[in-house]
Amino acid sequence: MPSTNIDTLRFSTAGSVDDGKSTLIGRLLYETQGILADQLLSLEEATARHGHVSATDKIDFALLTDGLIAEREQGITIDVAYRYFTTPTRRFIIADTPGHEQYTRNMVTGASTADLTIVLLDVKRGVTMQSYRHAVIASLLGISHLVVAVNKMDLVDYREAAFTALQDHFATFISKLHFTEVSFVPISALKGDMLTTRGKHMPWYNKPTLLEILETTTAHQQQRLDALPLRLAIQRVTKAKFGVNSDLRGYQGTVAAGQLAVGQSLTVAPQQHEGRVSAIYVLKAGSTVVEEIQQAHQGEPVTVVLDRQLDISRGDMLVDTKNSKPYTGQAFSANMCWFDPSILDVQKRYWLKLNCKMVRAIVERVDFKFNVITLAEEQTNTVAMNDIVRVTIMALQPLVFDIYADNHETGAFILIDDTTNRTVAGGMIVSSRQAEP
Amino acid sequence: MNHLDALEAEAITIMREVVAECRSPALLFSGGKDSICLLRLAEKAFRPDAFPFPLVHIDTGHNFPEVITFRDEIVAALNEQLIVGSVAKSIATGRVVLHDVAESRNPHQSITLLDTIAEHGFDALFGGARRDEEKSRAKERIFSHRDVWGQWDPKNQRPELWNIYNARLKLKEHLRIFPISNWTELDVWQYIAREKLDVPTLYFAHAREVIERNGLLVPLTAVTPALAGESVLTKTVRFRTVGDMTCTCPVLSNAATLAEIISETAAATLTERGATRMDDQTAEASMELRKKEGYF
Ligand SMILES: Nc1nc2c(ncn2[C@@H]2O[C@H](COP(=O)(O)OP(=O)(O)O)[C@@H](O)[C@H]2O)c(=O)[nH]1
């Protein structure tokens, strides 16, 4: 029977148009059995209709990832697609993001939940503007492991020199970014070399195949969040009766970082109330009544009851009294990616959502725009779709937050336009502008 | 955290977020395995409270009787409220017009669904769709926006980052919420086994009269009779999905226990929809077309 005791790696993929990203994912799914027979059949049919492969190849793997009608008609990928495959050691979720410049926002979206990013290069075309952009976005989003897959090695007779030249060139740029781990791997997505099997053509390469890299990398983010101080944002307050003292409220939320234990002293931010955990409730596997547990770990959704009545509502944060506290304040600096066709309106009131709290906020100032190719900080007056900028944000009520680099869960936010209700930006907090922790 | 715990945690967090932010949610319950998981996740998220939303079933009138019985039993056991939207009623009142009586009612569910949403003023509907099911689903958000006409605009979706969800709506718009977007068919069965959940007997191998048609095994029912020249065979089969009788087919299988279903699913060589759905075989993108008009 297949094991349930394996972990999950989420990764995103990015590449310029025609670097072979769709072919890569199609083949990865095919070779790990993520493509089933009927999909293969409809793929063969679709290949006959819209495919771009030579007559000898029955399947254009790229068509597998084009889900929407408009995508097949226009031969481009529009939106992030999520795909799944499992190997005996791990379960994988791919956020497959389109490479067109105008879809940078999808790259950011896909990378926001990823542990690792694969950037694809075409060995003949070399490094493109998009390659730089992808690497920079992955770095800004705090992805720890970057994999650079150098594709189409078959077109250069699998020569080591072609691979090394590109590696040397790109590695210099990447060294200026903030990855803890960078891997380069030569592949042919079309022929299948160095994806799930080594193939015969590149004996000179003795490091892991692409799949081996994916199977062995640590899901960094998860491990780190476990070791951080407790953060539990309250999603919902319930009046349900728990245990003996039925006056006490249950606070529901998911442990974003650290551990929660019965008896622990907690501080409620931003009010700075203090209390102790008197009970933690969950509904265990196979059971029909909620039960008390002694400890909850990072990632677990729980209901917490404290030892006294406090005024706590949605968006307040439970933190460990003795451990380092989050920031409480109304102003912060952030790196922000603008997603919307409308232009950022400085001084307009947007909705800002962070840690289960929705408040009014204004973008007080645009400090600079990142040139995502040279990494230069450029002055700008307008912020348009796909721009990545450093801004100063002022919320109209106090917020509780961490610096994104310290804690991805509690340092990220979105902005919503209150007339269209569209999500217009995603941001990562860089520093607090006034308050102390 | 192992992967089932992580999937469960994600879904519970999503459900609580919806209840906190939306005015009037409801949970679409079909009696099938995916929505059975949703019910279990709702228990995990909200017990000992009653569910802060009713359950909604869109009944085509052509459901397998076993599934309707199962639905009523589980609703009674959970002691929750069930609202049934009836396609038969939509036909009787002229809201749904069939081109011919033998036509499948499955695509017409959208109208009954949207009418039910409007009648009760729901602004968020939990659904059990998974991204591994079908191509257009793979691109759908977890919080998926529907305009005042119930339409989905796949080219114009809200970016969805981290685990921060945008639930803001204008009057008469609504959201479809897919808490188990990231689950696969195998995850669903592993979760059902772990949580010891009951499922309709149709999911387990049983002897059934079927007709072989276009590579599928069509179950012999009052609404799917044998056509001239077709012969009725008795086979040992089970269902992988339990939808409308007119478009849901069983597969050959001897899997009579959850453990056997899990092994079979892990080794499956056909997708769930490909093996079992007549409606999705007609056009390369029929699901997308139905979804744009308000389908589940
Ligand atoms: N020779 C060769 N061609 C490839 C390789 N990978 C992809 N291609 C071709 O490059 C073209 C673009 O590939 P596609 O996967 O659609 O690129 P995408 O736009 O990045 O998704 C197609 O014609 C592919 O067949 C490879 O490894 N070698």
Side-chain angles (χ1 to χ4, degrees):
Chain A
M1 246 210 324
S3 166
T4 50
N5 207 12
I6 53 178
D7 71 348
T8 304
L9 185 85
R10 291 178 178 245
F11 67 95
S12 65
T13 52
S16 310
V17 187
D18 286 342
D19 283 350
K21 184 172 60 65
S22 311
T23 309
L24 169 76
I25 292 173
R27 184 175 283 279
L28 208 52
L29 294 180
Y30 177 64
E31 294 187 355
T32 57
Q33 304 278 297
I35 298 185
L36 300 176
D38 56 322
Q39 285 171 309
L40 207 57
L41 187 69
S42 72
L43 204 58
E44 284 174 12
E45 288 166 11
T47 303
R49 262 197 303 283
H50 324 274
H52 302 280
V53 290
S54 61
T56 50
D57 294 321
K58 265 188 18 206
I59 301 163
D60 185 349
F61 284 110
L63 289 178
L64 181 84
T65 55
D66 297 335
L68 302 173
I69 294 164
E71 295 178 325
R72 279 193 298 278
E73 283 169 0
Q74 296 165 31
I76 56 161
T77 318
I78 292 169
D79 213 318
V80 190
Y82 295 89
R83 312 192 182 280
Y84 306 83
F85 68 96
T86 306
T87 67
T89 54
R90 205 165 232 182
R91 187 175 183 280
F92 297 92
I93 302 180
I94 313 177
D96 174 17
T97 68
H100 308 261
E101 177 173 7
Q102 64 268 42
Y103 298 121
T104 296
R105 63 176 203 178
N106 289 319
M107 245 228 75
V108 175
T109 303
S112 73
T113 51
D115 302 302
L116 173 152
T117 290
I118 300 177
V119 168
L120 207 62
L121 303 182
D122 175 335
V123 68
K124 282 195 91 169
R125 197 146 47 129
V127 183
T128 65
M129 295 302 182
Q130 283 298 79
S131 327
Y132 293 117
R133 183 188 296 269
H134 294 146
V136 168
I137 289 172
S139 169
L140 274 175
L141 279 152
I143 302 232
S144 49
H145 192 166
L146 179 76
V147 175
V148 183
V150 178
N151 190 30
K152 308 198 186 180
M153 287 299 295
D154 54 301
L155 293 183
V156 294
D157 301 326
Y158 298 99
R159 273 183 297 109
E160 182 175 12
F163 169 73
T164 335
L166 207 53
Q167 171 172 354
D168 291 347
H169 177 66
F170 203 39
T172 316
F173 178 79
I174 288 170
S175 65
K176 291 184 269 184
L177 302 173
H178 306 283
F179 299 105
T180 36
E181 205 174 339
V182 177
S183 321
F184 282 85
V185 51
I187 63 168
S188 169
L190 192 66
K191 310 283 177 196
D193 300 273
M194 283 314 160
L195 296 185
T196 64
T197 53
R198 304 194 71 82
K200 290 199 254 337
H201 300 106
M202 294 181 279
W204 48 264
Y205 175 81
N206 48 28
K207 294 208 191 112
T209 62
L210 186 65
L211 187 63
E212 283 164 353
I213 294 173
L214 296 174
E215 284 187 316
T216 54
T217 188
T218 39
H220 282 281
Q221 211 160 306
Q222 273 265 332
Q223 289 184 331
R224 262 196 21 196
L225 287 168
D226 233 38
L228 293 176
L230 172 72
R231 299 288 184 261
L232 198 174
I234 305 301
Q235 280 188 287
R236 185 169 178 267
V237 182
T238 163
K239 290 176 199 145
K241 299 196 180 347
F242 287 95
V244 267
N245 191 344
S246 58
D247 290 343
L248 295 173
R249 296 277 162 98
Y251 302 106
Q252 297 184 325
T254 299
V255 181
Q259 318 279 329
L260 182 75
V262 172
Q264 193 174 3
S265 302
L266 297 186
T267 300
V268 185
Q271 303 92 323
Q272 311 299 332
H273 296 321
E274 299 208 346
R276 262 174 203 283
V277 180
S278 75
I280 306 169
Y281 292 95
V282 295
L283 186 58
K284 288 187 188 165
S287 167
T288 51
V289 281
V290 291
E291 289 167 66
E292 290 190 33
I293 54 170
Q294 287 308 304
Q295 253 199 41
H297 304 282
Q298 192 276 328
E300 268 185 84
V302 292
T303 302
V304 191
V305 177
L306 302 182
D307 64 346
R308 68 200 77 172
Q309 292 223 29
L310 294 172
D311 179 16
I312 302 178
S313 48
R314 173 169 165 83
D316 293 342
M317 177 113 68
L318 302 182
V319 307
D320 189 313
T321 306
K322 296 190 225 64
N323 218 323
S324 84
K325 306 265 175 60
Y327 291 92
T328 296
Q330 287 180 239
F332 55 76
S333 288
N335 293 333
M336 194 169 86
C337 179
W338 191 257
F339 300 138
D340 208 59
S342 72
I343 287 172
L344 165 67
D345 185 352
V346 176
Q347 300 305 340
K348 177 181 161 122
R349 289 178 183 201
Y350 291 98
W351 286 111
L352 182 150
K353 190 172 177 189
L354 169 132
N355 293 326
C356 303
K357 190 150 188 153
M358 184 90 89
V359 301
R360 294 282 188 172
I362 54 173
V363 179
E364 208 174 43
R365 200 174 66 231
V366 180
D367 298 296
F368 57 84
K369 176 167 147 177
F370 286 95
N371 182 321
V372 291
I373 290 148
T374 62
L375 292 177
E377 298 169 2
E378 295 170 352
Q379 292 310 306
T380 183
N381 291 319
T382 51
V383 178
M385 186 149 82
N386 294 314
D387 282 347
I388 300 180
V389 287
R390 170 74 52 81
V391 289
T392 303
I393 289 192
M394 170 66 96
L396 307 187
Q397 281 169 50
L399 289 171
V400 181
F401 58 87
D402 287 290
I403 305 306
Y404 183 80
D406 297 336
N407 188 329
H408 290 191
E409 290 280 321
T410 52
F413 64 91
I414 59 170
L415 286 189
I416 300 167
D417 185 303
D418 73 345
T419 38
T420 64
N421 286 333
R422 292 186 56 81
T423 303
V424 292
M428 296 149 281
I429 299 176
V430 173
S431 63
S432 170
R433 295 297 293 229
Q434 81 216 97
E436 47 269 15
Chain B
M1 242 189 201
N2 76 41
H3 85 278
L4 280 185
D5 290 333
L7 290 171
E8 177 189 72
E10 180 179 59
I12 293 172
T13 307
I14 288 163
M15 286 189 148
R16 287 175 170 172
E17 203 59 13
V18 170
V19 166
E21 294 217 338
C22 296
R23 187 179 33 79
S24 177
L27 186 150
L28 292 168
F29 181 64
S30 68
K33 63 184 187 312
D34 302 313
S35 57
I36 289 168
C37 288
L38 286 188
L39 283 191
R40 179 60 180 163
L41 291 161
E43 286 188 83
K44 295 245 178 180
F46 303 110
R47 291 297 187 232
D49 281 318
F51 293 173
F53 41 74
L55 314 179
V56 171
H57 181 223
I58 303 303
D59 186 353
T60 60
H62 290 162
N63 285 96
F64 291 97
E66 297 94 318
V67 177
I68 298 296
T69 308
F70 175 86
R71 176 196 78 186
D72 293 339
E73 281 168 7
I74 198 169
V75 169
L78 287 169
N79 196 23
E80 296 290 346
Q81 188 202 347
L82 174 73
I83 293 169
V84 178
S86 157
V87 178
K89 206 169 115 196
S90 302
I91 295 170
T93 56
R95 291 284 296 147
V96 166
V97 180
L98 297 181
H99 300 297
D100 83 80
V101 279
E103 182 185 351
S104 170
R105 294 177 177 183
N106 189 56
H108 299 292
Q109 292 185 77
S110 305
I111 294 176
T112 311
L113 172 61
L114 294 176
D115 285 352
T116 308
I117 292 171
E119 181 187 338
H120 295 270
F122 295 130
D123 61 350
L125 288 107
F126 293 108
R130 310 185 320 265
R131 285 172 175 155
D132 79 326
E133 275 180 87
E134 199 274 336
K135 288 184 203 182
S136 63
R137 297 253 199 238
K139 307 219 163 177
E140 186 157 16
R141 304 293 185 256
I142 292 175
F143 280 48
S144 188
H145 179 260
R146 295 290 181 281
D147 68 10
V148 290
W149 303 105
Q151 299 178 108
W152 179 52
D153 182 1
K155 287 212 288 188
N156 207 17
Q157 301 190 76
R158 298 171 175 178
E160 194 161 80
L161 291 96
W162 298 289
N163 49 8
I164 312 177
Y165 301 103
N166 177 354
R168 294 198 64 84
L169 290 175
K170 292 185 197 160
L171 210 62
K172 301 221 160 112
E173 295 178 341
H174 72 273
L175 294 168
R176 300 288 172 86
I177 312 284
F178 302 112
I180 60 167
S181 285
N182 287 322
W183 298 38
T184 62
E185 186 184 7
L186 182 59
D187 297 327
V188 166
W189 284 115
Q190 289 182 326
Y191 192 68
I192 287 170
R194 184 181 94 169
E195 298 295 326
K196 304 186 175 66
L197 305 180
D198 287 330
V199 296
T201 50
L202 290 177
Y203 283 116
F204 299 105
H206 57 281
R208 179 173 289 268
E209 288 185 310
V210 294
I211 308 144
E212 282 178 337
R213 188 184 296 162
N214 303 332
L216 293 170
L217 297 174
V218 176
L220 180 71
T221 68
V223 290
T224 49
L227 304 177
E230 285 181 334
S231 48
V232 175
L233 312 160
T234 299
K235 301 260 181 187
T236 302
V237 298
R238 68 176 198 89
F239 286 83
R240 282 173 75 184
T241 63
V242 294
D244 187 80
M245 279 194 290
T246 59
C247 62
T248 311
C249 299
V251 293
L252 286 177
S253 170
N254 292 317
T257 64
L258 284 178
E260 285 165 8
I261 291 177
I262 289 171
S263 302
E264 188 182 281
T265 306
T269 56
L270 287 179
T271 67
E272 188 178 317
R273 299 199 76 88
T276 64
R277 301 293 293 220
M278 299 183 232
D279 49 342
D280 285 336
Q281 294 207 325
T282 44
E284 210 180 319
S286 51
M287 172 67 97
E288 180 183 350
L289 295 173
R290 282 206 306 274
K291 278 176 67 65
K292 281 181 172 166
E293 291 173 359
Y295 192 73
F296 297 98

